[in-house]
Amino acid sequence: MALALLPLVFLPFWAAQVMVAPPPPGELTLWIHSSAAEFAALQNWLEPELRANGLTWRVEHASSKEELLQAWRSRLVDLAVVEEELAAELHGALALAPLWDKLEGPTWENCFAPFWEAQPFRKTFGWVIPAQGRIPQARHLVTVMRQFAQPFSP
């Protein structure tokens, strides 16, 4: 009888080891929170540079803020393109990592990189990196897009 219960004694230790192990590395994912038309335009801008630089990022669309935030909480977002207003909310919640490895840390200017200057009655999209994401890989993609891609214009 005691021999039959012996595995139960070690089960918590085995389970703890399994739960501590990091998840296997997956595909890098860029999420875009936008309308369907804006997503198509952004995807058409991104994909040629991804291919040209041999980068294997999957581009996902979030049509609602709730959908993006669910993916964010589930740690499915490595990099995102969002409107400035949502970026400000995420920054206020301390959910953003710096886009560049600078001494200033996660300041607003270091956490949101707009695609163009703000204009009245026009959405301002830009890059953001989740604080829990794969930051070095996300920074690499932002750098590649800023240096090699044509500026995005809707």
Side-chain angles (χ1 to χ4, degrees), residues 59-113:
V59 181
E60 295 286 338
H61 181 233
S63 57
S64 71
K65 178 178 166 182
E66 293 75 23
E67 183 181 3
L68 177 67
L69 293 179
Q70 178 61 37
W72 196 284
R73 283 189 291 273
S74 299
R75 296 184 181 194
L76 301 175
V77 181
D78 295 305
L79 178 64
V81 173
V82 298
E83 294 177 54
E84 186 171 9
E85 184 177 307
L86 178 54
E89 288 178 37
L90 293 167
H91 182 260
L94 305 175
L96 298 180
L99 291 164
W100 296 278
D101 191 14
K102 294 182 177 180
L103 296 176
E104 295 94 43
T107 63
W108 172 246
E109 295 77 20
N110 199 17
C111 286
F112 178 71

